[in-house]
Amino acid sequence: MTRPPAPRDFDHPDVVLVPHGPMLLRGAESVQDVDGTVHPVERPVVALCRCDKSSRLPWCDGTHKVIPR
Amino acid sequence: MRLPKPRGPLSEWLVARLAGTGVAGAAPTSDSWADSWDDECISLWTLHELSFRGFEDADDRAEWDPGLLGVRHDLETALEARLRERWARTDPAPVAPEDVPAALETVVAEDDGPSLADHVRRHADRDQVLELLRQRSVYHLKESDPSAFVVPRLPVRAKAALMALQFDEYGDGDPNRLHSHLFARGLEAVGLRAEYGAYVDDAMPENLEMNNAGSLLGLHRRLRGAAMGHLAAFEMTSSLPSRKMVQGLERLELDGPMSAYYDEHVEADAIHEHLASRDICGTLAEDEPDQADEILFGAFTCLDVEARFASALLASWGAR
């Protein structure tokens, strides 16, 4: 019988760029938008808009999915 | 919650047995309930509910009663066979574990089911929206609970990601932000009953089957991949429709706590869809390659049962 693999550390980046999607940000306490307004963060992970078409900037609202690539 | 109203011979037997009233005798054989889908759906829904919050007029020990587990097994076998047959009819190609997130996007993109949110945004009248909210309450008042059963059944990375998602669903530690609680506040604000299970007796069989499918996948370790695929498809098709629900509720002056519930889902599910498709389903498929096709089966099932529910409800309104 083969020995099971030893426990290892996993990649767990604080910032993840989703292909054709938002930027996922972990562990932030606040985010400043392009107008300078600071938004408090109340979740362990947030999704920041990268297509600039979201109806609730700076957060992603899924709008990128209906924009032709 | 009290036991639901029976809808046929099987649920009559089941409710009498759970309530301990009269002589319930042996369970009706499958010949007697196979022709009544409504009876079948409410019976399985009732048996599953014993594993969630239970009924004030049923003995809590019924959850593990061998006689009832046998009936549950027969009903679950019939339901799973039906769901798998619908999936097989799409002639699915096997998917490589590393392709699971992309394959989930394809399944979602190919979904051509009717959209209740589109109808609510532009056309629905107030009574139709209230009817939709009563139907939705069957699930939204136990939102995310079926997926919570899957946590101990997952490998390390998928488990951590599911907990991140569930933590957000359960309000990030704040009871006031728990999603099912937000929905209850919304129901109250639009003049509907907010207590758990309030509208089960009004639930259409398509709605019960949709709920039963989610509970079936969540309650069986064997079906953990399908449960997570179901979750991913749910989250991937929530953000944009939730925004349409907000617009429809505002159009009908039903804004306030109910539109706040949907508003929360615009933002939350734009995050959750990535956690679910990449960090949960993607890593699960890498760690347990035999789950890759199961994940896609679950995703298809989520969209399929929603499409059937949406078609039935729109048809009842003469809207499609």
Side-chain angles (χ1 to χ4, degrees):
Chain A
M1 214 177 126
T2 53
R3 184 188 283 268
R8 62 178 170 100
D9 281 341
F10 298 104
D11 291 336
H12 189 58
D14 298 329
V15 175
V16 173
L17 300 180
V18 177
H20 310 290
M23 176 172 101
L24 302 182
L25 181 64
R26 292 181 209 278
E29 290 189 1
S30 58
V31 168
Q32 186 176 42
D33 67 20
V34 291
D35 300 326
T37 308
V38 175
H39 300 262
V41 171
E42 292 174 334
R43 305 170 192 281
V45 185
V46 288
L48 294 169
C49 174
R50 289 205 298 153
C51 73
D52 240 13
K53 299 290 192 291
S54 172
S55 66
R56 57 192 66 213
L57 292 166
W59 318 120
C60 170
D61 71 348
T63 296
H64 60 272
K65 286 188 273 189
V66 294
I67 299 173
R69 281 184 199 165
Chain B
M1 174 179 31
R2 298 186 69 80
L3 286 161
K5 279 198 201 107
R7 302 189 188 193
L10 181 62
S11 47
E12 267 166 31
W13 172 85
L14 178 63
V15 167
R17 168 131 175 189
L18 288 170
T21 54
V23 182
T29 59
S30 59
D31 310 343
S32 69
W33 51 260
D35 292 335
S36 173
W37 186 44
D38 213 11
D39 192 23
E40 190 182 330
C41 289
I42 192 66
S43 298
L44 184 55
W45 184 87
T46 303
L47 287 161
H48 279 160
E49 184 54 35
L50 294 169
S51 295
F52 289 88
R53 303 284 296 275
F55 304 94
E56 57 203 79
D57 47 348
D59 187 338
D60 282 341
R61 283 172 293 195
E63 181 187 2
W64 297 103
D65 176 329
L68 293 174
L69 288 173
V71 177
R72 179 177 144 182
H73 173 82
D74 291 348
L75 292 167
E76 288 182 332
T77 302
L79 172 59
E80 187 181 342
R82 199 152 62 226
L83 300 176
R84 286 196 185 274
E85 200 232 311
R86 293 175 192 164
W87 171 230
R89 258 188 270 146
T90 69
D91 204 12
V95 60
E98 64 272 22
D99 296 335
V100 160
L104 284 168
E105 278 188 34
T106 306
V107 170
V108 169
E110 285 173 354
D111 173 40
D112 56 359
S115 166
L116 284 163
D118 272 340
H119 182 70
V120 168
R121 183 167 77 97
R122 290 203 302 251
H123 306 297
D125 62 28
R126 198 181 169 93
D127 286 346
Q128 290 174 347
V129 170
L130 293 177
E131 168 65 11
L132 173 62
L133 295 173
R134 281 195 294 273
Q135 295 287 332
R136 290 287 192 213
S137 72
V138 176
Y139 176 68
H140 288 329
L141 290 173
K142 66 199 291 185
E143 187 166 321
S144 298
D145 291 347
S147 328
F149 287 114
V150 186
V151 174
R153 298 161 178 171
L154 295 175
V156 176
R157 290 181 295 176
K159 180 184 280 177
L162 176 56
M163 280 308 296
L165 192 157
Q166 293 288 103
F167 188 60
D168 208 27
E169 291 282 341
Y170 289 149
D172 300 310
D174 179 354
N176 294 304
R177 290 176 51 216
L178 199 103
H179 285 183
S180 58
H181 182 68
L182 291 177
F183 194 76
R185 297 287 305 272
L187 286 172
E188 174 129 60
V190 298
L192 295 174
R193 288 163 57 203
E195 73 270 19
Y196 186 83
Y199 293 107
V200 171
D201 285 335
D202 301 328
M204 301 162 71
E206 291 83 0
N207 188 17
L208 292 174
E209 185 177 81
M210 178 163 69
N211 277 270
N212 291 347
S215 299
L216 168 76
L217 301 183
L219 286 165
H220 290 255
R221 187 185 67 82
R222 174 177 63 85
L223 299 171
R224 62 197 176 282
M228 294 298 94
H230 180 284
L231 172 67
F234 194 96
E235 301 288 353
M236 293 166 84
T237 52
S238 170
S239 210
L240 293 171
S242 291
R243 195 168 140 206
K244 292 173 182 169
M245 288 295 299
V246 172
Q247 292 166 333
L249 289 164
E250 285 173 355
R251 176 177 63 80
L252 293 163
E253 294 174 357
L254 288 166
D255 44 349
M258 186 51 90
S259 65
Y261 165 86
Y262 284 100
D263 199 63
E264 155 69 10
H265 285 73
V266 175
E267 201 178 296
D269 293 347
I271 306 160
H272 295 176
E273 65 173 285
H274 304 292
L275 291 176
S277 71
R278 298 155 52 92
D279 297 348
I280 301 175
C281 292
T283 66
L284 174 61
E286 260 181 55
D287 291 339
E288 299 181 4
D290 59 340
Q291 294 299 311
D293 294 326
E294 285 292 281
I295 290 167
L296 273 297
F297 159 60
F300 168 83
T301 293
C302 173
L303 304 174
D304 178 66
V305 291
E306 167 67 20
R308 286 164 193 272
F309 167 65
S311 299
L313 194 53
L314 290 168
S316 77
W317 295 334
R320 193 182 159 95

